Amino acid sequence: MSADIAAAGPQAPAADPWRRLMGAIYECVLLFGVLWFADYLFSALTRFQGEAGPMRLAFQLFTALVLALYFAGFWAQGRRTVPMKTMGLQLLDRQGRTLSTTRALARFGVGLGAIVLALGLGHEIHWALYLTLLVPYAWCFLDADRRALYDVIAGTRLVYLPVAPVPRRKPVSR
């Protein structure tokens, strides 16, 4: 565990909704490239063209697996994604400890489940139910500790650890 996380512990301030949103947007930009290459590899190796059938399900499961490995790999044991480092974000459990791999996977599963549920409701019942995609994020405004709904369910919290400025080197005079 790094010194910053150990010093922060359970008293670390919760990440505000704006910082959380900016981190998610930055994460989406990076994930576009990660998923593009991974899904291109899948399509090239299997000759999948997007048609309906068992290969589409395999493609969707492969994409979910890539995302699970990415997020659980970065969230567990105090690791952070590049956007999390840039925005000064860290995932902790309720006691202020870094996440185990199991808890990181649980958080990913709950988040993915919320997205799939919202997309299913919007597709099968009424288009306006696509707005339920915003419910987990909107929960930050209601929760005292600014946790998203998937954080509440998974027992995690996103905290803000200020990024230390990088000292500038003095130019060498000759």
Side-chain angles (χ1 to χ4, degrees), residues 5 7 13 22 24-25 28 39 42 44 55 62 84 98 140 143 151 154 171:
I5 299 167
M22 291 299 101
I25 291 170
C28 287
D39 290 346
F42 180 90
M55 280 306 285
F62 174 78
M84 291 173 74
T98 59
C140 303
D143 189 79
D151 286 319

Coordinates of all heavy atoms in Angstrom, one line a residue, residues 5 7 13 22 24-25 28 39 42 44 55 62 84 98 140 143 151 154 171:
I5 N -2.1 6.4 0.3 CA -3.3 5.7 0.6 C -3.3 5.4 2.1 O -4.3 5.5 2.8 CB -3.4 4.4 -0.2 CG1 -3.5 4.8 -1.7 CG2 -4.6 3.6 0.2 CD1 -3.3 3.6 -2.6
A7 N -1.9 7.0 4.5 CA -2.1 8.2 5.3 C -3.6 8.6 5.2 O -4.1 9.2 6.1 CB -1.2 9.3 4.8
P13 N -11.1 12.4 1.8 CA -12.3 13.0 1.3 C -12.9 12.3 0.1 O -12.2 11.8 -0.7 CB -11.9 14.4 1.0 CG -10.4 14.3 0.7 CD -9.9 13.2 1.6
M22 N -15.4 13.6 -14.7 CA -14.3 13.9 -15.6 C -13.4 12.6 -15.7 O -12.8 12.3 -16.8 CB -13.4 15.1 -15.1 CG -14.1 16.4 -15.2 SD -14.5 16.8 -17.0 CE -16.2 16.4 -17.1
A24 N -14.4 9.5 -15.5 CA -15.2 8.6 -16.3 C -15.0 8.9 -17.8 O -14.9 8.0 -18.6 CB -16.6 8.5 -15.9
I25 N -15.1 10.2 -18.1 CA -15.0 10.6 -19.5 C -13.6 10.3 -20.0 O -13.4 9.8 -21.1 CB -15.4 12.1 -19.7 CG1 -16.9 12.3 -19.4 CG2 -14.9 12.6 -21.0 CD1 -17.3 13.7 -19.3
C28 N -13.3 6.7 -20.7 CA -13.9 6.3 -21.9 C -13.0 6.5 -23.1 O -13.0 5.7 -24.1 CB -15.3 7.0 -22.1 SG -16.5 6.4 -21.0
D39 N -11.2 -5.9 -29.7 CA -12.3 -6.4 -30.5 C -11.9 -6.7 -31.9 O -12.4 -7.6 -32.6 CB -13.5 -5.5 -30.4 CG -14.1 -5.5 -29.0 OD1 -13.9 -6.5 -28.2 OD2 -15.0 -4.6 -28.7
F42 N -10.3 -10.1 -31.9 CA -11.3 -11.1 -31.8 C -11.9 -11.3 -33.2 O -12.1 -12.4 -33.7 CB -12.4 -10.7 -30.8 CG -13.5 -11.7 -30.7 CD1 -13.4 -12.7 -29.8 CD2 -14.6 -11.6 -31.5 CE1 -14.5 -13.7 -29.7 CE2 -15.6 -12.6 -31.4 CZ -15.6 -13.6 -30.5
A44 N -10.7 -10.5 -36.1 CA -9.7 -11.0 -37.1 C -9.5 -12.5 -36.9 O -9.4 -13.3 -37.9 CB -8.4 -10.3 -37.0
M55 N -21.9 -16.3 -32.2 CA -20.6 -15.6 -32.2 C -20.8 -14.1 -31.7 O -19.9 -13.6 -31.1 CB -20.1 -15.5 -33.7 CG -19.3 -16.7 -34.1 SD -18.0 -17.2 -33.0 CE -16.8 -16.0 -33.4
F62 N -16.5 -11.7 -24.6 CA -15.1 -11.4 -24.8 C -14.9 -9.9 -24.4 O -14.0 -9.6 -23.6 CB -14.6 -11.6 -26.2 CG -13.2 -11.2 -26.4 CD1 -12.1 -11.9 -26.0 CD2 -13.0 -10.0 -27.1 CE1 -10.8 -11.5 -26.2 CE2 -11.7 -9.6 -27.3 CZ -10.6 -10.3 -26.8
M84 N -7.4 7.8 -13.3 CA -7.5 7.9 -11.8 C -6.3 8.6 -11.3 O -6.4 9.5 -10.4 CB -7.7 6.5 -11.2 CG -9.0 5.9 -11.5 SD -9.2 4.2 -10.9 CE -9.3 4.5 -9.2
T98 N -7.2 -0.7 0.5 CA -7.3 -0.9 -0.9 C -8.2 -2.1 -1.2 O -8.4 -3.0 -0.4 CB -5.9 -1.1 -1.5 OG1 -5.3 -2.2 -0.9 CG2 -5.0 0.2 -1.3
C140 N -24.7 9.9 -6.3 CA -23.7 10.6 -5.7 C -24.2 11.9 -5.0 O -23.6 12.4 -4.0 CB -22.6 11.1 -6.7 SG -21.8 9.8 -7.6
D143 N -26.1 10.6 -1.7 CA -25.4 9.9 -0.7 C -24.5 10.9 0.2 O -23.8 11.8 -0.4 CB -24.5 8.9 -1.3 CG -23.8 7.9 -0.3 OD1 -24.5 7.0 0.1 OD2 -22.7 8.1 0.0
D151 N -21.1 1.8 -5.9 CA -20.2 1.8 -4.7 C -20.9 1.4 -3.5 O -20.3 0.7 -2.6 CB -19.6 3.2 -4.6 CG -18.5 3.5 -5.6 OD1 -17.7 2.6 -5.9 OD2 -18.5 4.7 -6.1
A154 N -21.4 -2.4 -3.8 CA -20.2 -3.2 -3.7 C -19.3 -2.9 -2.5 O -18.3 -3.6 -2.2 CB -19.3 -2.9 -5.0
P171 N 17.3 25.2 -14.5 CA 18.2 25.1 -15.6 C 19.6 25.2 -15.2 O 19.9 25.9 -14.2 CB 17.8 26.3 -16.5 CG 16.9 27.2 -15.7 CD 16.4 26.4 -14.5

